[in-house]
Amino acid sequence: MELILPAPKKWTQLFGILLLLVFLFSLTIFAGNALLSFYKVKELNATVFFSSRILFWLPLLFIFIYARKAEGQKLLIWEEKKLLFWEYLVSAIAIFFALFIGLLIIIAVLLQFGLERESSKFLKMLVIFRENPLLIFLTAATAGIVEELTFRGYMLPRMVNLFKSPALGIIFSSLLFGLLHFSYGTVIQVVGPFFIGFIFALYYYKFRNIKILIICHFLWDVMAIYLQLLAQDIKTLEKL
């Protein structure tokens, strides 16, 4: 059941969401160039990329402090439900199945309209991942923990409270999650995360367990990166 909040606390939560979004989008837009200037390099490299992942933990620290000090409550305002091992397993299988089917349909539609293309930014990241495999796991851990706790753990419950509508809370939090990935420069890198965010938000609203989402997000990103590296290897072999 959602919280019924007095007006002052609702304004505090709205302000927290807006500050969080400013923080996240500022990092997305400015952190890369700022780090290039700081390290005095012109191209993305392992050091710059590592530093950018570390910076993305700052919004999580911010909302943890903000929720405690400004809102006077925990970061996670929905009580976490405990799951048995088999429930974690079934949840993970169901989430992955939904993501596979949904994203296959989305890619097929984008291909029909000629909108699917490779992201130059992601291709540069793959070069770094190939040379620095540990960065794959740091990237996936950062995305899994930070993005789930910020968008699903912090933002979604507060949006549901503010809109007084689970549907609007799920849709808008997912839309913002998708837009956060705009810097990759392709439609799929916005539409794909929007769909992923929608599935995760729907699950969190219904089952109230953030841990399984963190685990699934981490595993999904690791799998996606390794599949992209494998696809590159296959293309290279075909050219030989």
Side-chain angles (χ1 to χ4, degrees):
M1 218 176 152
E2 284 68 56
L3 300 175
I4 304 299
L5 299 174
K9 182 156 285 189
K10 284 190 174 183
W11 281 109
T12 305
Q13 289 191 347
L14 176 60
F15 191 57
I17 291 172
L18 293 176
L19 285 176
L20 173 60
L21 290 172
V22 169
F23 204 159
L24 288 168
F25 279 93
S26 294
L27 284 175
T28 301
I29 296 169
F30 301 115
N33 288 332
L35 288 170
L36 289 175
S37 299
F38 178 80
Y39 288 110
K40 298 180 180 179
V41 295
K42 295 182 178 180
E43 293 288 336
L44 182 67
N45 59 30
T47 302
V48 172
F49 186 74
F50 172 81
S51 300
S52 70
R53 297 309 92 186
I54 298 303
L55 285 179
F56 267 94
W57 287 82
L58 294 179
L60 182 57
L61 176 62
F62 162 72
I63 58 172
F64 177 81
I65 296 172
Y66 186 87
R68 290 284 185 176
K69 300 299 183 182
E71 297 178 1
Q73 57 191 358
K74 296 179 181 179
L75 188 155
L76 301 178
I77 59 177
W78 285 347
E79 184 179 353
E80 187 80 353
K81 289 185 179 179
K82 295 181 180 180
L83 298 179
L84 299 174
F85 175 78
W86 70 267
E87 291 176 308
Y88 275 101
L89 186 60
V90 171
S91 293
I93 293 172
I95 289 170
F96 270 68
F97 179 78
L99 294 182
F100 271 118
I101 299 301
L103 289 173
L104 283 175
I105 294 172
I106 289 170
I107 292 172
V109 171
L110 292 179
L111 284 172
Q112 286 294 318
F113 288 94
L115 295 174
E116 171 59 354
R117 62 185 180 87
E118 291 184 315
S119 165
S120 58
K121 178 180 178 179
F122 189 66
L123 290 175
K124 292 177 182 177
M125 289 168 57
L126 287 178
V127 173
I128 294 172
F129 288 144
R130 190 178 294 279
E131 297 173 353
N132 305 270
L134 289 179
L135 282 179
I136 296 174
F137 298 96
L138 173 63
T139 300
T142 298
I145 297 172
V146 174
E147 292 180 358
E148 290 312 313
L149 289 177
T150 53
F151 280 92
R152 259 63 71 182
Y154 179 83
M155 195 179 299
L156 174 61
R158 287 159 176 83
M159 281 190 166
V160 170
N161 288 330
L162 292 170
F163 288 125
K164 296 182 180 179
S165 167
L168 289 178
I170 290 169
I171 291 170
F172 274 96
S173 65
S174 304
L175 179 61
L176 290 167
F177 180 65
L179 291 174
L180 184 68
H181 296 76
F182 77 95
S183 64
Y184 286 95
T186 63
V187 174
I188 186 60
Q189 291 290 356
V190 173
V191 178
F194 165 75
F195 177 73
I196 293 171
F198 179 82
I199 295 298
F200 284 179
L202 194 62
Y203 179 91
Y204 189 51
Y205 175 76
K206 186 170 180 60
F207 297 104
R208 308 293 169 88
N209 187 287
I210 201 73
K211 299 183 190 71
I212 187 64
L213 296 180
I214 291 173
I215 293 169
C216 287
H217 197 145
F218 171 80
L219 293 175
W220 181 267
D221 281 5
V222 170
M223 179 189 66
I225 292 170
Y226 272 109
L227 285 176
Q228 288 290 334
L229 291 172
L230 178 61
Q232 283 189 341
D233 290 339
I234 292 173
K235 287 181 180 178
T236 301
L237 290 173
E238 289 176 347
K239 292 178 181 179
L240 296 178

